[in-house]
């Protein structure tokens, strides 16, 4: 009899899981959900969902080839959800935000669910030993912007609520609107202080893809930027925020046209350190230690005046302090170099 019950459970549980997943997705925004197959092994705690497709208004906002995970089942009795490994391969998801700010992810309405209270008084613990995403396509649509994101590989490990001071490892390789993105570092998520520390690299992000987010006074924006920095951020429980950036930021072929000014620049480069701090009382400070170079810059503030700069460079240290009850304090020391500066007015040209 026990064997028959056990076999029955092996057959029934996958169908129950499939029904629960489909029902939840349909109740939270999708019209139709199909799941090709669900595999569950109670001996190992492994679960795999194959061929999940959610449909809405003749579109497919969510499609997953394979989702697999391994649970430590005996930890559930002590109210700890420990996932030894989660892998998602072949994920296509649509993310939309309308003009009212309402978010929809994979057809599911954001912010609509309310967590039920736990009458036992003991909070659940949660940990992921490893989360791996492969070949994830995200289609993001919002007023003024449409962005296509490809996550080639995303890896997250050592994320635990019951050990909040433990830092999670995070690694990402992908593409955002043809710009390559690489992130490799550590993430503090559940502790009193939250933040990130590690490498961030973006290569070839084009400004024109985000021109729709700018005010109407700016009619044109083009160019591309690349960033390769070491980034460290921390937000304390009291609201103190610090951020440190060390590395290089390059901007190429910039063109900006607004109602009041036209600006073009062939190349701009920053190399050095930038630190930012915001105290709980509202005081803010920015410190720069490095150098910036601008090549072939042209500024047209009016039809009667054109300013052209062949090369402009500065290296040194600068500090900016902001406070609600004090005027802005700016200090700077360093070396400024200017070459081929030309001012062209309607009736006169001047070279400096």
């Amino acid at each position: 009899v026990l064997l028959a019950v056990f076999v029955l459970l092996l057959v029934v549980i996958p169908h129950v899981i499939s029904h629960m997943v489909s029902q939840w997705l349909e109740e939270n925004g999708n019209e139709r959900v199909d799941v090709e197959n669900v595999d569950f092994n109670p001996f190992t705690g492994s679960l795999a969902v194959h061929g999940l497709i959610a449909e809405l208004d003749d579109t497919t906002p969510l499609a997953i080839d394979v989702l697999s995970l391994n649970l430590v089942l005996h930890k559930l009795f002590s109210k700890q959800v420990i996932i030894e490994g989660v892998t998602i391969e072949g994920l296509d998801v649509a993310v939309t935000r309308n003009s009212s700010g309402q978010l929809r992810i994979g057809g599911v309405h954001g912010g609509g669910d309310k967590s039920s209270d736990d009458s036992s008084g003991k909070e659940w613990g949660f940990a992921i030993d490893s989360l791996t995403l492969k070949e994830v396509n995200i289609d993001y649509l919002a007023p003024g912007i449409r962005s296509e994101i490809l996550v080639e590989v995303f890896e997250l490990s050592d994320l635990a609520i019951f050990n909040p001071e433990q830092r999670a490892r995070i690694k990402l390789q992908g593409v955002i609107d043809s710009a390559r993105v690489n992130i490799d570092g550590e993430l503090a998520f559940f502790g009193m202080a939250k933040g990130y520390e590690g490498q961030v690299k973006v290569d070839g992000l084009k400004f024109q893809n985000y021109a729709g987010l700018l005010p109407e006074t700016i009619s044109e924006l083009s160019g591309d930027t690349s960033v390769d920095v070491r980034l460290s951020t921390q937000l304390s429980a009291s609201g103190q925020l610090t951020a440190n950036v060390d590395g290089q930021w390059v901007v190429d072929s910039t063109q900006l046209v607004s109602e009041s000014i036209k600006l073009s620049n062939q190349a701009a480069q920053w190399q050095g350190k930038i630190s930012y701090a915001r105290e709980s009382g509202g005081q803010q400070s920015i410190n720069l230690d490095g150098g910036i170079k601008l090549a072939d810059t042209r500024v047209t503030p009016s039809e009667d005046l054109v300013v052209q700069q062949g090369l402009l460079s500065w290296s040194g240290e600068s500090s900016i302090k902001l406070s609600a009850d004090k005027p802005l304090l700016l200090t700077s020391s360093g070396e400024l170099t200017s070459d081929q500066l030309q001012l062209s007015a309607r009736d006169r040209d001047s070279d400096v």
Side-chain angles (χ1 to χ4, degrees), residues 76-248:
L76 296 175
F77 295 103
S78 57
K79 304 191 74 172
Q80 292 185 353
V81 180
I82 299 181
I83 301 175
E84 291 182 325
V86 180
T87 301
I88 301 177
E89 297 186 44
L91 169 63
D92 295 313
V93 59
V95 180
T96 61
R97 183 184 293 274
N98 62 22
S99 57
S100 301
Q102 294 177 325
L103 186 67
R104 206 163 188 171
I105 302 175
V108 175
H109 296 287
D113 294 334
K114 295 182 179 180
S115 301
S116 58
D117 293 332
D118 187 355
S119 59
S120 67
K122 181 180 179 181
E123 295 182 355
W124 280 77
F126 178 78
I128 296 179
D129 184 60
S130 66
L131 168 65
T132 303
L133 307 180
K134 296 180 180 179
E135 299 302 320
V136 176
N137 293 284
I138 302 172
D139 186 6
Y140 179 75
L141 179 63
I145 182 175
R146 180 159 198 164
S147 187
E148 295 182 355
I149 303 169
L150 168 63
V151 179
E152 296 171 336
V153 177
F154 173 82
E155 297 176 351
L156 179 67
S157 60
D158 301 329
L159 185 64
I161 287 179
F162 47 79
N163 187 9
E165 300 306 320
Q166 176 175 290
R167 286 178 168 264
R169 288 287 308 169
I170 182 171
K171 185 176 182 179
L172 168 67
Q173 296 177 359
V175 179
I176 300 179
D177 297 324
S178 74
R180 292 212 58 85
V181 178
N182 288 273
I183 296 175
D184 189 357
E186 295 183 343
L187 185 68
F189 191 74
F190 294 118
M192 295 294 290
K194 298 173 174 57
Y196 169 82
E197 183 173 356
Q199 201 72 21
V200 176
K201 186 175 182 179
V202 181
D203 188 12
L205 189 69
K206 298 186 180 300
F207 294 144
Q208 50 264 42
N209 292 332
Y210 313 99
L213 300 174
L214 299 174
E216 295 181 356
T217 54
I218 299 178
S219 59
E220 181 182 345
L221 176 65
S222 60
D224 59 80
T225 183
S226 298
V227 178
D228 188 359
V229 298
R230 182 79 181 179
L231 173 65
S232 175
T233 65
Q234 181 170 297
L235 176 64
S236 69
S238 61
Q240 293 177 317
L241 174 65
T242 61
N244 296 283
V245 181
D246 185 0
Q248 179 176 268

Side-chain angles (χ1 to χ4, degrees), residues 149-350:
I149 303 169
L150 168 63
V151 179
E152 296 171 336
V153 177
F154 173 82
E155 297 176 351
L156 179 67
S157 60
D158 301 329
L159 185 64
I161 287 179
F162 47 79
N163 187 9
E165 300 306 320
Q166 176 175 290
R167 286 178 168 264
R169 288 287 308 169
I170 182 171
K171 185 176 182 179
L172 168 67
Q173 296 177 359
V175 179
I176 300 179
D177 297 324
S178 74
R180 292 212 58 85
V181 178
N182 288 273
I183 296 175
D184 189 357
E186 295 183 343
L187 185 68
F189 191 74
F190 294 118
M192 295 294 290
K194 298 173 174 57
Y196 169 82
E197 183 173 356
Q199 201 72 21
V200 176
K201 186 175 182 179
V202 181
D203 188 12
L205 189 69
K206 298 186 180 300
F207 294 144
Q208 50 264 42
N209 292 332
Y210 313 99
L213 300 174
L214 299 174
E216 295 181 356
T217 54
I218 299 178
S219 59
E220 181 182 345
L221 176 65
S222 60
D224 59 80
T225 183
S226 298
V227 178
D228 188 359
V229 298
R230 182 79 181 179
L231 173 65
S232 175
T233 65
Q234 181 170 297
L235 176 64
S236 69
S238 61
Q240 293 177 317
L241 174 65
T242 61
N244 296 283
V245 181
D246 185 0
Q248 179 176 268
W249 179 22
V250 177
V251 180
D252 291 318
S253 304
T254 304
Q255 181 82 23
L256 184 146
V257 179
S258 72
E259 295 178 352
S260 59
I261 194 171
K262 294 181 181 178
L263 183 149
S264 64
N265 173 260
Q266 185 62 33
Q269 176 180 309
W270 163 264
Q271 179 76 47
K273 300 178 181 179
I274 302 175
S275 62
Y276 170 82
R278 185 193 67 199
E279 302 296 330
S280 55
Q283 300 90 342
Q284 302 178 69
S285 64
I286 303 173
N287 294 289
L288 298 90
D289 182 3
I292 186 171
K293 294 180 180 179
L294 304 174
D296 296 331
T297 303
R298 179 186 177 98
V299 182
T300 309
S302 68
E303 294 182 356
D304 298 329
L305 179 63
V306 177
V307 181
Q308 298 183 81
Q309 176 74 65
L311 177 64
L312 180 67
S313 65
W314 174 88
S315 62
E317 298 180 357
S318 294
S319 175
I320 302 173
K321 293 185 179 181
L322 303 170
S323 179
D325 56 352
K326 296 180 181 179
L328 182 146
L329 177 61
L330 170 63
T331 60
S332 181
S333 63
E335 181 179 347
L336 178 66
T337 302
S338 175
D339 184 34
Q340 298 178 351
L341 174 60
Q342 182 180 44
L343 306 179
S344 300
R346 183 182 292 272
D347 299 323
R348 180 185 298 177
D349 291 345
S350 298

Side-chain angles (χ1 to χ4, degrees), residues 45-79:
S46 63
L47 171 69
V49 178
H50 302 267
L52 186 151
I53 297 177
E55 297 179 343
L56 174 66
D57 297 331
D58 297 324
T59 65
T60 305
L62 178 65
I64 301 176
D65 290 344
V66 181
L67 184 156
S68 60
L69 61 85
N70 292 315
L71 281 168
V72 181
L73 295 177
H74 69 273
K75 289 292 185 179
L76 296 175
F77 295 103
S78 57
K79 304 191 74 172

